[in-house]
Amino acid sequence: QKEVEQDPGPLSVPEGAIVSLNCTYSNSAFQYFMWYRQYSRKGPELLMYTYSSGNKEDGRFTAQVDKSSKYISLFIRDSQPSDSATYLCAMMGSDYKLSFGAGTTVTVRA
Amino acid sequence: GAVVSQHPSWVICKSGTSVKIECRSLDFQATTMFWYRQFPKQSLMLMATSNEGSKATYEQGVEKDKFLINHASLTLSTLTVTSAHPEDSSFYICSAQQEGIAKNIQYFGAGTRLSVL
């Protein structure tokens, strides 16, 4: 079993829709939870970073962490064609090493 | 701020040759840098952790003699793929970690696409 499981997708949504991305994890030692966006043939770009359970908002993005269920989510409101990318969840424990999900490719149709 | 530059972005080489990839933190000092490998439509897999002034720590299954890592300064780490073969063709990405309260944040380079003929 992988440490981090991410809903595989791909997802295709119309412009303006809400995009919902999810990951589960098995390692209770994970303390930090991130979402990265990766465009084709580019390095990942940090979108959101959370530490505790609960919600964190940044513009159109909301990150949710439920440590008791070992479940994290990212919501993108009012999605735009420019949001089309692969989204990677990532988690980190006290060793500061990142464990990534496999990624979900999102296409926002104009 | 927190920009990581990776060079080259794309390299093609002949089988048996060696290729060096550079990773630089442009506006901060990075005691620790990480090297990842990514196959098409797959996630990033950590290859090694590079610490300034000391030997790199490799993940299980990664050949340290094949993937030589040097972290000679606080802003530069290099990955050398020695005697490259077609199966080494992949997307290599580095990241750098800031010290202090932002230690849990890794900033990524743009990646290097290696094609071995």
Side-chain angles (χ1 to χ4, degrees):
Chain A
Q1 182 190 7
K2 294 180 183 178
E3 279 193 317
V4 181
E5 299 277 2
Q6 183 168 357
D7 287 354
L11 290 179
S12 179
V13 301
E15 185 174 356
I18 295 176
V19 175
S20 173
L21 303 164
N22 306 293
C23 288
T24 58
Y25 63 96
S26 57
N27 189 342
S28 299
F30 287 143
Q31 300 175 1
Y32 307 101
F33 306 91
M34 291 83 164
W35 285 95
Y36 285 87
R37 177 173 62 195
Q38 186 177 27
Y39 293 110
S40 181
R41 302 189 180 190
K42 298 292 182 184
E45 168 196 1
L46 181 65
L47 279 179
M48 299 284 288
Y49 145 68
T50 55
Y51 174 73
S52 57
S53 284
N55 293 356
K56 181 177 182 179
E57 269 192 39
D58 184 0
R60 296 183 296 111
F61 298 90
T62 300
Q64 228 173 47
V65 173
D66 182 345
K67 286 189 175 180
S68 62
S69 301
K70 298 189 177 66
Y71 188 89
I72 71 169
S73 299
L74 178 71
F75 300 96
I76 308 173
R77 291 184 301 279
D78 188 24
S79 57
Q80 305 295 310
S82 58
D83 294 326
S84 298
T86 295
Y87 291 81
L88 300 159
C89 63
M91 303 174 191
M92 179 188 285
S94 57
D95 60 0
Y96 298 104
K97 292 183 180 180
L98 280 171
S99 294
F100 282 89
T104 303
T105 298
V106 174
T107 301
V108 181
R109 307 185 305 271
Chain B
V3 177
V4 175
S5 172
Q6 192 172 337
H7 178 80
S9 58
W10 190 17
V11 58
I12 302 173
C13 69
K14 292 183 179 179
S15 187
T17 61
S18 294
V19 172
K20 180 184 282 189
I21 302 169
E22 291 189 350
C23 181
R24 293 180 185 271
S25 56
L26 297 186
D27 51 2
F28 65 99
Q29 293 185 331
T31 309
T32 305
M33 290 185 174
F34 300 87
W35 287 95
Y36 296 83
R37 185 173 180 175
Q38 187 178 32
F39 290 106
K41 298 190 186 299
Q42 294 187 26
S43 193
L44 283 76
M45 296 300 296
L46 180 64
M47 297 175 66
T49 303
S50 167
N51 294 296
E52 187 265 338
S54 64
K55 290 184 178 180
T57 304
Y58 291 82
E59 295 300 301
Q60 193 172 5
V62 178
E63 298 176 61
K64 61 181 180 181
D65 294 330
K66 180 163 194 62
F67 299 100
L68 299 179
I69 292 172
N70 183 276
H71 193 155
S73 78
L74 287 172
T75 59
L76 174 64
S77 176
T78 61
L79 168 69
T80 301
V81 183
T82 62
S83 186
H85 291 284
E87 59 266 28
D88 298 322
S89 298
S90 190
F91 193 52
Y92 293 88
I93 311 174
C94 71
S95 71
Q97 180 184 67
Q98 283 190 298
E99 286 303 302
I101 59 173
K103 191 173 182 178
N104 51 298
I105 303 296
Q106 290 184 23
Y107 298 94
F108 285 82
T112 297
R113 184 161 304 279
L114 171 63
S115 297
V116 184
L117 304 178

